Amino acid sequence: MVNSSTRSLWGGLRIAVLALLWGSTFLWIELALRGLSPLQVTFARCVLGALVLVVACYATGNRLPRGFAIWRHIVIAAFFCNALPFALFSLGQQSVDSGLAGVLNATTPLWSIVLGLALGSERGIGPVRLAGLLLGFAGTILIFAPWQATGATGWGTLAILGAAASYAVAFTYMGRTLVRKGNPTISLSAAQLVAAGGLTAVAVPIGGLQSIDPSPTVVVAAIVLSVFCTAITFHLTYRIINDEGATSAAVVGYLLPVVSVLLGAVFLSEDIGVRVVLGMVVVLLGVGMTRRQGVPPVTVTAAPVPSAVADPVPREPVAGGAPLAEGVPLAEDPAPARPAGPQDAR
């Protein structure tokens, strides 16, 4: 049985990988936009990403979900989590500088917690975790220093802010309607990107028929963006929503500027000032606080029973959803005690 420390380690590792891949998204989008229109970038991300996840789904012995009801939820989630924000980010980055874009994108956790609390789907938001969310956002502002930006207002700002809010709506919706319903996350993530590809395909004739420039840089950027920054990150996001909730998945947004700054320093020899380093420390502290006060796992304490022999009957779940430990008899197994009568004194 996997203990809580191991689960926490794997959860932290998933978040680190997701932040690393997701944090490079804006770089690959910028490179892909050199030869593709925003809608073409969105369509390529959805279609190629869906192809990767569908292959992974069937290769692992799973299959896409079936039934109208679940596909209705998948299409709605695909619109808010994939088609709409992908297009809005591509549109916004045409006029918004990276500093303000990073801050606007970092509002996703705040939108997520507001929606979660309003709908009653967010659990375990205590003062420490709430302070961590606010601290992470403050660190993001400190890193990007949007007050230094010029000419970064208008429709591009609204587009990126809308994309951040759309992610929050999607994460909350996915947590309420799709995860923990009996379908593997690989099946759900593959199906959702298939639906997103269909949604963007409908819009391609409207604004995606411009000529393209298939230079090597553009092709490589589109492939990396689709496989690593869309397919893999999207599946990891589904896993985090399934295991920890929508807000925990949205908190990854705070780590994106940290990854972006480190990548710039390593590969582009960009300088990192004291303000940026301080902002990174604040972000990491805030993210750490959000993970300290998670929802504790349901534990069941069985009352001692007079029998030491394990009951071969399979354990049934208790009210909290956790199965009883192996070897613990059911409550009705031991015979009820009866008061001693005169016949027992013989």
Side-chain angles (χ1 to χ4, degrees):
M1 182 178 296
V2 180
N3 55 36
S4 59
S5 61
T6 303
R7 284 197 301 268
S8 178
L9 177 62
W10 277 110
L13 182 61
R14 280 201 302 263
I15 285 181
V17 174
L18 178 58
L20 179 61
L21 296 177
W22 201 351
S24 64
T25 298
F26 296 112
L27 169 64
W28 299 113
I29 288 178
E30 184 175 343
L31 294 176
L33 285 174
R34 294 179 179 180
L36 301 172
S37 70
L39 188 55
Q40 288 169 347
V41 172
T42 303
F43 180 69
R45 292 184 67 180
C46 293
V47 172
L48 294 180
L51 179 61
V52 171
L53 287 184
V54 168
V55 171
C57 176
Y58 283 95
T60 54
N62 296 290
R63 64 182 185 181
L64 297 180
R66 296 181 179 179
F68 173 79
I70 188 170
W71 273 96
R72 176 170 56 87
H73 292 310
I74 287 173
V75 170
I76 294 174
F79 175 77
F80 286 105
C81 189
N82 307 108
L84 180 60
F86 288 179
L88 290 177
F89 273 126
S90 296
L91 287 171
Q93 280 196 254
Q94 291 183 316
S95 59
V96 175
D97 60 66
S98 60
L100 184 56
V103 173
L104 294 173
N105 182 57
T107 60
T108 296
L110 302 180
W111 288 112
S112 180
I113 192 173
V114 169
L115 287 172
L117 292 175
L119 298 175
S121 60
E122 186 58 56
R123 304 166 296 168
I125 297 293
V128 174
R129 196 169 179 216
L130 181 59
L133 288 166
L134 298 177
L135 195 62
F137 184 69
T140 302
I141 294 178
L142 194 58
I143 290 174
F144 285 122
W147 56 86
Q148 297 179 355
T150 58
T153 58
W155 290 108
T157 300
L158 294 178
I160 294 180
L161 187 62
S166 183
Y167 272 135
V169 171
F171 292 168
T172 303
Y173 185 83
M174 290 154 64
R176 289 173 63 90
T177 62
L178 291 172
V179 301
R180 295 184 293 273
K181 303 295 184 181
N183 290 289
T185 53
I186 184 65
S187 301
L188 293 173
S189 56
Q192 191 162 320
L193 278 188
V194 169
L199 290 174
T200 54
V202 174
V204 165
I206 301 175
L209 297 180
Q210 299 92 328
S211 60
I212 65 175
D213 177 19
S215 65
T217 299
V218 172
V219 172
V220 170
I223 293 175
V224 173
L225 182 64
S226 303
V227 176
F228 294 96
C229 302
T230 301
I232 296 178
T233 58
F234 186 52
H235 178 57
L236 289 176
T237 300
Y238 242 117
R239 291 293 302 273
I240 294 173
I241 295 174
N242 180 79
D243 296 344
E244 302 183 35
T247 299
S248 293
V251 164
V252 178
Y254 288 158
L255 295 173
L256 304 189
V258 176
V259 173
S260 177
V261 168
L262 292 177
L263 289 177
V266 172
F267 295 103
L268 302 177
S269 300
E270 295 178 350
D271 294 331
I272 301 179
V274 175
R275 171 182 53 79
V276 174
V277 173
L278 180 59
M280 292 168 63
V281 172
V282 172
V283 165
L284 294 175
L285 178 60
V287 172
M289 291 172 64
T290 65
R291 298 187 59 76
R292 281 187 56 194
Q293 199 168 328
V295 181
V298 178
T299 57
V300 179
T301 303
V305 293
S307 174
V309 180
D311 188 352
V313 179
R315 306 296 87 188
E316 294 293 332
V318 294
L324 290 173
E326 293 183 4
V328 179
L330 295 172
E332 63 270 17
D333 288 347
R338 60 180 179 87
Q343 66 274 20
D344 295 316
R346 289 179 292 179

